[in-house]
């Protein structure tokens, strides 16, 4: 009897596991200080408040039933209120859709908006989860570089002038993953104007926008155009295990996503959506909680950046980390970060080489560092270990 299995779909051709997820397995040892993850600090997750919301959600058996594919009604109403305030315009419930984390929203949107071979413009370096989704959809991917003000909208404009017609443009507008930068207000308006003039979609991926340290971020790109689909999540401000993400999009897009979601998982978890609604609706408590998270992360970000600049001097140029979860650093002395990583692990510290996020530039001399899960003194030790690894 043959042991050969039937073939798998050709959609898997060329797809690779996330280098970051693979790296997390490597660095799971307790003796390694890992700056490689992109994880919120579990010590800052509101365990007692989540427990109280869970108890309330379990007050009757009917709360354990299936819910609507678009999301639990009261959560949709809470999100519509929050997004209305964020966008400065009324957002009807019909334009809000709850997903199993914002990554599922991205995946479903790729199926709704893209035909095989469609052009997708991403930022370079790029969010790895977006690259995986768009490659799986069979898209043709073109990268636009970033600088300190976010996406180079002028480069995108030149691309359009040369006759390229993207189906969509993806941006992580606030505290970019991995680059750490935030798109300026002027560029947000410019991107929205291009989307309206050339009739393409923009997916504004915003999981970090509430994690600012010094001042709030500019108005969303979605403020300027209805061609913009906005994604967000409770993972970074509450807890990833709630798996509560959402999108704000025209009703027709939401209905297309609903059809696909019904075939994928029918509906999300009514239980965790009830818990999330309880927490997000408690605005006074939520504001205090998010302020605590901002304060802790801001202190850690400052500590990491200060240590990098003190220990490495002009050998490294790094972002200032005004919010979010990441610092991006470039070696100016030719250090190859992919080659450095094994030596760093031997010295008890890990990071993500820039090559993991590369599209059209190799980022051989770059690395992404996450500061969220360690106290300042541990981050100082991590930088010391990294310095010793370089020698």
């Amino acid at each position: 009897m043959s042991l050969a299995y039937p073939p798998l779909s050709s959609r898997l051709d060329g797809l690779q596991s996330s280098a970051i997820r693979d790296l997390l397995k490597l660095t799971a040892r307790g003796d390694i200080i890992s700056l490689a993850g992109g994880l919120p600090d579990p010590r800052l997750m509101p365990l007692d408040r989540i427990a109280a919301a869970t108890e309330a959600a379990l007050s009757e058996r009917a709360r354990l039933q299936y819910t609507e594919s678009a999301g639990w009604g009261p959560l949709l109403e809470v999100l519509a209120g929050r997004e209305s305030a964020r966008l400065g315009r009324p957002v009807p419930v019909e334009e809000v859709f709850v997903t199993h984390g914002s990554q599922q929203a991205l995946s479903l949107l790729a199926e709704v908006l893209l035909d095989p071979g469609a052009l997708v413009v991403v930022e370079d370096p790029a969010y790895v989860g977006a690259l995986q989704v768009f490659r799986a959809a069979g898209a043709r991917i073109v990268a636009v570089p970033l600088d300190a003000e976010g996406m180079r909208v002028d480069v995108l404009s030149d691309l359009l002038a040369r006759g390229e017609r993207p189906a969509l443009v993806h941006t992580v507008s606030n505290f970019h993953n991995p680059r750490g930068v935030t798109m300026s207000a002027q560029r947000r308006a410019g991107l929205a104007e291009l989307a309206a003039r050339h009739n393409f979609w923009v997916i504004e991926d915003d999981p970090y926008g509430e994690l600012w340290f010094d001042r709030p971020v500019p108005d969303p790109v979605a403020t300027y155009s209805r061609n913009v689909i906005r994604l967000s999540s409770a993972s970074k401000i509450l807890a990833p295990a709630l798996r509560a993400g959402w999108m704000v999009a025209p009703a027709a897009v939401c209905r297309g996503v609903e059809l696909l979601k019904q075939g994928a998982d029918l509906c999300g978890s009514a239980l965790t959506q009830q818990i999330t609604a309880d927490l997000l609706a408690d605005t006074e408590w939520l504001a205090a909680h998010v302020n605590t998270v901002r304060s802790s992360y801001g202190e850690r970000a400052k500590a990491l950046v200060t240590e990098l600049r003190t220990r490495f001097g002009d050998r490294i140029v790094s972002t200032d980390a005004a919010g979010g979860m990441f610092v991006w650093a470039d070696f100016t002395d030719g250090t190859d970060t992919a080659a450095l990583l094994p030596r760093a692990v031997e010295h008890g510290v890990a990071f993500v080489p820039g090559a993991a996020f590369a599209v059209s530039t190799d980022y051989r001399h770059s690395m992404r560092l996450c500061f969220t899960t360690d106290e300042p003194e541990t981050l100082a030790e991590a930088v010391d270990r990294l310095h010793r690894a370089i020698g």
Side-chain angles (χ1 to χ4, degrees), residues 223-367:
T223 304
Y224 300 97
S225 173
R226 297 298 181 95
N227 282 39
V228 180
I229 298 168
R230 178 173 149 76
L231 309 185
S232 195
S233 167
S235 293
K236 307 305 185 293
I237 60 171
L238 294 176
L242 294 173
R243 303 312 300 137
W246 58 89
M247 56 181 263
V248 177
V253 174
C254 290
R255 298 294 73 79
V257 169
E258 184 172 15
L259 290 174
L260 290 172
K261 184 170 172 59
Q262 288 172 348
D265 63 5
L266 187 60
C267 67
S269 166
L271 179 60
T272 60
Q273 289 184 28
Q274 290 171 69
I275 296 166
T276 303
D278 186 331
L279 299 175
L280 294 180
D282 191 350
T283 54
E284 184 176 350
W285 168 83
L286 182 65
H289 166 69
V290 174
N291 277 336
T292 298
V293 177
R294 287 181 189 136
S295 177
S296 295
Y297 287 177
E299 180 185 13
R300 296 169 190 181
K302 182 178 180 180
L304 178 58
V305 171
T306 299
E307 288 295 331
L308 285 171
R309 293 173 179 172
T310 299
R311 295 306 302 271
F312 289 95
D314 59 7
R315 294 176 67 186
I316 273 186
V317 176
S318 75
T319 52
D320 289 322
M325 300 172 63
F326 305 108
V327 168
W328 180 263
D330 298 304
F331 281 97
T332 61
D333 61 359
T335 296
D336 185 320
T337 54
L340 171 62
L341 180 60
R343 300 200 305 274
V345 170
E346 288 177 3
H347 283 78
V349 64
F351 57 85
V352 183
F357 310 97
V359 184
S360 59
T361 304
D362 61 26
Y363 297 108
R364 293 178 56 200
H365 311 304
S366 305
M367 59 183 174

Side-chain angles (χ1 to χ4, degrees), residues 70 76 79 83 91-99 101-102 104-106 108-109 112-113 203-204 229-233 245-258:
L76 291 172
L79 293 173
E83 293 296 328
V91 175
V93 168
E94 294 75 22
E95 294 184 3
V96 182
F97 197 97
V98 179
T99 54
S102 60
Q104 186 189 50
L106 192 58
L108 293 172
L109 282 169
V112 170
L113 303 179
I203 296 180
E204 182 180 20
I229 298 168
R230 178 173 149 76
L231 309 185
S232 195
S233 167
W246 58 89
M247 56 181 263
V248 177
V253 174
C254 290
R255 298 294 73 79
V257 169
E258 184 172 15

Side-chain angles (χ1 to χ4, degrees), residues 34 45 57 96 122 174 191 200 314 332 346 360 379:
S34 179
M45 295 175 194
V96 182
V122 300
N174 297 316
L191 175 57
F200 58 80
D314 59 7
T332 61
E346 288 177 3
S360 59
L379 293 169

Side-chain angles (χ1 to χ4, degrees), residues 54-67 72 269-272 274:
T54 303
E55 184 176 1
L58 293 172
S59 61
E60 53 184 281
R61 292 181 184 275
R63 296 290 192 94
L64 299 175
Q65 191 53 274
Y66 288 110
T67 190
W72 190 57
S269 166
L271 179 60
T272 60
Q274 290 171 69

Side-chain angles (χ1 to χ4, degrees), residues 6 11 18 41 50 54 84 86 88 92 96 105 127 151 158 161 199 203 214 234 261 275 281 283 309 347 379 387 391:
R11 292 179 63 188
S18 165
D41 188 345
I50 291 174
T54 303
S84 295
R86 189 78 180 89
V96 182
Y127 167 53
M151 176 186 282
D158 291 343
N199 198 34
I203 296 180
D214 301 317
K261 184 170 172 59
I275 296 166
T283 54
R309 293 173 179 172
H347 283 78
L379 293 169
H387 190 266

